[in-house]
Amino acid sequence: MTVHVIETHKAFGGEQRKYRHHSETLDCDMVFSLFLPKQTDNKPTSLIWWLSGLTCTDDNFSQKGAFQKYASQHQLAVVMPDTSPRGTAVADDAGWDLGQGAGFYLNATQEPWAKNYRMYDYLTQELPQLVYSLIPNFSEKESIMGHSMGGHGALVIGLKHPERFRSISAFAPILNPSQVPWGQKAFTAYLGPDEKDWAEWDATSLIAKCDSAQPIHISQGTADAFYEVQLNEDAFLQAAEGKKVSYEKLEGYDHSYFTIASFIEEHLQFHKEFLG
């Protein structure tokens, strides 16, 4: 698979890179960003996946997440995929919460989305092999995290692959998309109207069926304008009872990257504990 470096920036001794490649899974060109910490003494480097939210690209976290210093200290590579397939030939919607920029990290089954919107397969099959090849001294240890729609994606992908991801964390995740407007709109369009088909893409349904789950850490701002309607935690925490889930409310913090930057060190320390 051919990958092209678009840009490289020195950061905290490491490098923040941006790449472009053609995705066979999504049938379009894709970009992703990758932070590589400074390589010293052939230390093994573990990998964290960051999944961004609605309307975002890989640039949001790379430029606003304030994570590079801590990732470098902990010898962590961090990969940031885009949030959907892109291009003039890719189906889109006039709304900001559907179509390009709003892939919801699933495999669409309905037209016109089914051809390109296979973000789950892209992130679990195609892109990993490319990313692994770019990490010097890769430890083969991984964790996953995300924000909002990306928090939903991190939980769903993480819970579906407990053998691969050692820990999961999220900022303001959509925890029960089958029961909230964002998720209901996306799932109806991408998966069809039958709610039975939605369960495998809903973190609340998935964790309820798990005998056990990886350690999970969730941070939610109390001043988040989307919290009450889109991000309520009650059903998820009830389904996760007995699992290793830590849920914290951040007094006065909102849905923005200011919140993420304020608590990203805590999240990376959480993952480092399980990545070794």
Side-chain angles (χ1 to χ4, degrees):
M1 187 184 301
T2 302
V3 62
H4 304 281
V5 180
I6 302 173
E7 56 187 70
T8 301
H9 305 281
K10 194 80 171 178
F12 296 96
E15 290 187 348
Q16 181 67 61
R17 301 178 179 178
K18 187 180 180 76
Y19 295 91
R20 177 181 290 112
H21 75 109
H22 182 77
S23 168
E24 297 293 338
T25 302
L26 304 179
D27 194 22
C28 65
D29 287 347
M30 292 293 287
V31 298
F32 66 93
S33 290
L34 175 66
F35 176 74
L36 294 174
K38 181 179 179 181
Q39 298 300 307
T40 57
D41 302 325
N42 293 318
K43 288 183 179 179
T45 299
S46 296
L47 175 63
I48 293 181
W49 292 76
W50 170 271
L51 305 185
S52 292
L54 289 164
T55 75
C56 292
T57 70
D58 58 303
D59 288 334
N60 291 78
F61 189 58
S62 70
Q63 298 176 13
K64 299 178 182 179
F67 69 90
Q68 287 91 346
K69 177 180 178 180
Y70 310 113
S72 188
Q73 289 173 349
H74 293 305
Q75 199 64 29
L76 297 171
V78 182
V79 63
M80 293 138 274
D82 203 348
T83 53
S84 77
R86 305 271 182 177
T88 57
V90 174
D92 201 5
D93 186 84
W96 59 271
D97 52 357
L98 187 68
Q100 295 187 35
F104 270 80
Y105 304 105
L106 48 71
N107 286 338
T109 59
Q110 306 298 300
E111 298 301 334
W113 314 103
K115 176 185 176 183
N116 302 106
Y117 284 75
R118 303 188 62 79
M119 288 296 292
Y120 175 79
D121 282 354
Y122 174 65
L123 294 177
T124 59
Q125 298 175 26
E126 183 179 15
L127 187 58
Q129 299 308 312
L130 179 54
V131 172
Y132 298 160
S133 71
L134 298 171
I135 302 174
N137 303 313
F138 179 40
S139 70
E140 300 186 359
K141 298 176 181 178
E142 299 174 82
S143 290
I144 191 167
M145 62 192 305
H147 171 232
S148 195
M149 177 187 72
H152 144 75
L155 286 161
V156 167
I157 292 173
L159 289 169
K160 283 175 171 283
H161 295 273
E163 76 293 342
R164 175 179 165 191
F165 298 105
R166 297 188 172 212
S167 53
I168 306 168
S169 78
F171 289 90
I174 308 172
L175 291 168
N176 196 188
S178 297
Q179 301 302 316
V180 302
W182 278 343
Q184 291 169 340
K185 178 178 179 178
F187 285 4
T188 299
Y190 296 142
L191 304 172
D194 190 343
E195 295 187 17
K196 292 193 298 293
D197 296 330
W198 300 359
E200 68 169 306
W201 307 108
D202 189 306
T204 296
S205 297
L206 291 174
I207 202 165
K209 297 174 183 177
C210 289
D211 292 330
S212 62
Q214 309 96 310
I216 297 172
H217 179 56
I218 298 171
S219 298
Q220 173 64 58
T222 62
D224 188 326
F226 300 112
Y227 171 55
E228 293 294 340
V229 174
Q230 307 283 7
L231 310 174
N232 186 273
E233 76 278 13
D234 292 343
F236 178 84
L237 293 181
Q238 183 176 352
E241 188 172 353
K243 311 294 196 312
K244 293 174 284 188
V245 176
S246 168
Y247 185 92
E248 65 173 350
K249 289 189 176 180
L250 308 173
E251 188 64 34
Y253 285 87
D254 60 19
H255 200 72
S256 73
Y257 269 79
F258 292 108
T259 300
I260 294 168
S262 297
F263 294 93
I264 192 63
E265 181 180 14
E266 172 189 300
H267 278 246
L268 293 183
Q269 288 174 337
F270 165 78
H271 290 298
K272 182 62 177 177
E273 177 181 349
F274 302 102
L275 291 168

